[in-house]
């Protein structure tokens, strides 16, 4: 059976595919690029789960195939959980978006002392089937924000995030080391288990 991945974010698609391919799912993975007319979904919900379900339901309706979507972001303690679901568009920039988002978060936390720079990445991964079945799983990765970027792997806020128990940022880790502990890795591994159980 085929299953479609509902993301146009190239970086996220790479991570999603990489993690899902390791999981021995009984599905052939298609990406949304195969459906150029699929509707662009506005993320209007205020939870990761709500937005992931919006994206997966829309693609499942459009293609008639089961769809997997994730929604994710970083929640910063000193910013009362922001940017959260707004992580992708926090700075409002339309080019060099990751860099602009990182710069804004660093500026907003410039006076937050070490010890109070806690943050966590969160991810909701969902699968929606044409027969109406819906599966939801959540993952998170706690850590702390640096005051300047380090590393060039990954994407988004990776260069300023050090997971708890590590000294490297997620932008300094290898892809497989990040997948092992990441919010997306955790959520997708749980989702794969739910799918296998039916
Ligand atoms: P969305 O899930 O497409 O709404 O976008 C999530 C946004 O959160 C990304 O564009 C990044 O800015 C941020 N984000 C989510 N996961 C990660 C990650 O693993 N590393 C760095 N940034 C992330």
């Amino acid at each position: 059976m085929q299953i479609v991945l509902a993301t146009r974010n190239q970086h996220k698609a790479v991570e999603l595919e990489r993690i899902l391919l390791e999981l021995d799912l009984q599905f052939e993975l298609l990406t949304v690029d195969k459906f150029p007319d699929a509707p662009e979904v506005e993320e209007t919900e205020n939870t990761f789960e709500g937005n992931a379900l919006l994206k997966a339901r829309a693609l499942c309706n459009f293609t008639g195939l089961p769809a997997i979507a994730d929604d994710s972001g970083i929640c910063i303690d000193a910013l009362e959980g922001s940017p959260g679901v707004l992580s992708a568009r926090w700075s409002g920039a339309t080019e060099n978006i990751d860099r602009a988002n990182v710069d804004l978060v660093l500026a907003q936390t410039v006076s937050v002392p070490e010890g109070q720079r806690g943050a966590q990445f969160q991810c909701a991964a969902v699968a929606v089937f044409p027969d109406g079945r819906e599966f939801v799983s959540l993952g998170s990765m706690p850590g702390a924000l640096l005051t300047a970027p380090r590393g060039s792997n990954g994407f988004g806020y990776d260069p300023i995030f050090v997971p708890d128990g590590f000294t490297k940022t997620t932008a300094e880790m290898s892809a497989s080391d990040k997948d092992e502990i990441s919010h997306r890795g955790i959520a997708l591994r749980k989702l794969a288990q739910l799918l296998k159980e039916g």
Side-chain angles (χ1 to χ4, degrees):
M1 203 204 258
Q2 296 179 313
I3 196 159
V4 200
L5 271 186
T7 183
R8 289 188 205 278
N9 175 329
Q10 229 12 70
H11 293 291
K12 272 196 356 185
V14 166
E15 282 203 10
L16 286 167
E17 278 191 89
R18 188 173 72 215
I19 297 167
L20 287 170
L21 288 174
E22 290 240 315
L23 289 175
D24 191 28
L25 279 183
Q26 309 304 317
F27 294 97
E28 180 195 346
L29 280 183
L30 303 179
T31 58
V32 69
D33 312 338
K34 295 254 176 336
F35 303 93
D37 298 329
E40 218 27 89
V41 178
E42 234 190 292
E43 297 181 8
T44 49
E45 296 290 326
N46 57 13
T47 62
F48 296 112
E49 176 179 336
N51 283 326
L53 282 169
L54 285 182
K55 291 185 268 191
R57 283 177 189 148
L59 193 61
C60 176
N61 278 337
F62 182 81
T63 61
L65 294 170
I68 288 182
D70 92 322
D71 196 55
S72 53
I74 190 166
C75 303
I76 298 171
D77 298 349
L79 302 179
E80 291 166 358
S82 289
V85 292
L86 301 177
S87 294
R89 47 206 149 112
W90 188 234
S91 63
T94 51
E95 48 191 45
N96 295 325
I97 298 171
D98 283 351
R99 182 70 214 207
N101 286 341
V102 162
D103 286 346
L104 178 57
V105 158
L106 289 178
Q108 289 172 319
T109 56
V110 73
S111 57
V112 179
E114 194 156 343
Q116 291 173 38
R117 299 185 64 82
Q120 56 175 288
F121 277 114
Q122 291 186 13
C123 175
V126 308
V128 171
F129 285 73
D131 64 9
R133 282 176 303 145
E134 295 188 340
F135 299 86
V136 175
S137 74
L138 307 175
S140 67
M141 171 167 58
L145 286 186
L146 295 181
T147 52
R150 266 184 9 213
S152 53
N153 301 334
F155 67 102
Y157 301 88
D158 280 331
I160 54 168
F161 183 82
V162 176
D164 282 348
F166 293 79
T167 50
K168 287 181 179 176
T169 66
T170 38
E172 293 173 313
M173 291 183 169
S174 69
S176 60
D177 285 351
K178 179 183 170 189
D179 292 348
E180 221 169 278
I181 57 165
S182 82
H183 50 312
R184 193 166 294 103
I186 293 167
L188 285 174
R189 284 190 289 272
K190 280 200 252 172
L191 184 69
Q193 196 51 43
L194 293 176
L195 292 177
K196 282 181 187 164
E197 290 162 7

